[in-house]
Amino acid sequence: WDMLDQPDAVAPTIFQTTYRAFARLTFEDELGVEVVDRMLDSYYFWQERLVRLCRDNRNVWFDDVTTSERESRDDLFHRAALIAREELTDRLGPDMQSWRWGRVHTVTFYSPTVPGKVAAAVLGGGTGPKDGSGETINRATYRFATPFEAVYIASLRFVADLGDPDKVMAVVSGGASGRQFDPHLKDQLEAWQSGEPRYWWFSDDAIRAHARHELHLDPQQATAISQPPAPPTSLADAEPGIGL
């Protein structure tokens, strides 16, 4: 494994499934199912702690208190791998080469007005395979209890060349508008998914050179529109139909 969580790779699927089982095996015998479910739901609470525990193969947390033997980290990883194989076989079939990360690790871009995958396919950006994971810079974390649909993603990708004052390389998931039928609702989604570079013009000169539209805001006109009309000073000034 090249340690890249690519959608067409099998290794990330095996690793994530095994590690989930390993985390449960480590804590559940001491803490119980209910407490472990609540703890594992918050990655920030246990993830780094488990990494530190793994440095010691004989740490007491790896011992299964329900057995007479003294289990080690390696023993639990072996158990977890067997659990992962059974889980993935049931979910994806017996052919290990079909256990691709993108089959289970997906992201859905919901409609801002109608949530849900069905509506996302029509009004939103749909559902597609997602690279990365909770452990990568290209973040795509899933909920522990409901693997592996990404719920936290790196929505903005941004690279700045400090020697180039005119532009930065950046793309947002979806687009720059949250309005349902706006053309910019999802016009950057394809580039975000593929990794295609897009440039955001940064300097005033570059912005003017590449401008397509201009929007002029007149503070005085805006104040006049938003200001309510003055109340009538006498009955003679009142509009017809105003009741007394």
Side-chain angles (χ1 to χ4, degrees), residues 102-226:
R103 286 188 64 188
V104 295
H105 191 240
T106 59
V107 60
T108 299
F109 293 92
Y110 297 106
S111 161
T113 55
V114 185
K117 284 189 175 182
V118 176
V122 180
L123 300 176
T127 300
K130 181 69 183 77
D131 52 355
S133 66
E135 293 77 38
T136 60
I137 295 177
N138 183 8
R139 191 174 185 226
T141 306
Y142 57 88
R143 291 190 174 92
F144 188 91
T146 55
F148 292 97
E149 297 181 6
V151 291
Y152 305 107
I153 62 174
S155 57
L156 170 67
R157 296 177 183 165
F158 180 96
V159 178
D161 179 354
L162 300 183
D164 185 352
D166 289 328
K167 62 182 180 298
V168 296
M169 187 187 299
V171 64
V172 294
S173 56
S177 173
R179 297 181 178 180
Q180 179 60 71
F181 299 107
D182 191 286
H184 300 298
L185 174 68
K186 51 185 178 181
D187 60 342
Q188 294 190 47
L189 179 56
E190 184 176 346
W192 183 86
Q193 291 174 320
S194 67
E196 173 192 345
R198 292 285 181 92
Y199 293 109
W200 292 4
W201 308 109
F202 200 77
S203 68
D204 292 341
D205 290 341
I207 291 172
R208 280 192 293 268
H210 294 86
R212 297 181 182 179
H213 308 281
E214 289 187 6
L215 175 64
H216 295 270
L217 301 178
D218 187 339
Q220 292 183 344
Q221 184 178 8
T223 301
I225 293 175
S226 62

Side-chain angles (χ1 to χ4, degrees), residues 20 22-47 49-50 53 61 143-145:
R20 284 181 63 254
F22 174 73
R24 184 171 290 281
L25 289 172
T26 299
F27 298 116
E28 191 171 87
D29 56 312
E30 284 92 354
L31 302 180
V33 175
E34 183 179 354
V35 173
V36 165
D37 284 344
R38 295 177 62 185
M39 183 185 77
L40 295 180
D41 195 46
S42 177
Y43 281 95
Y44 290 120
F45 187 80
W46 64 270
Q47 204 166 35
R49 179 176 299 180
L50 185 55
L53 291 178
W61 278 98
R143 291 190 174 92
F144 188 91

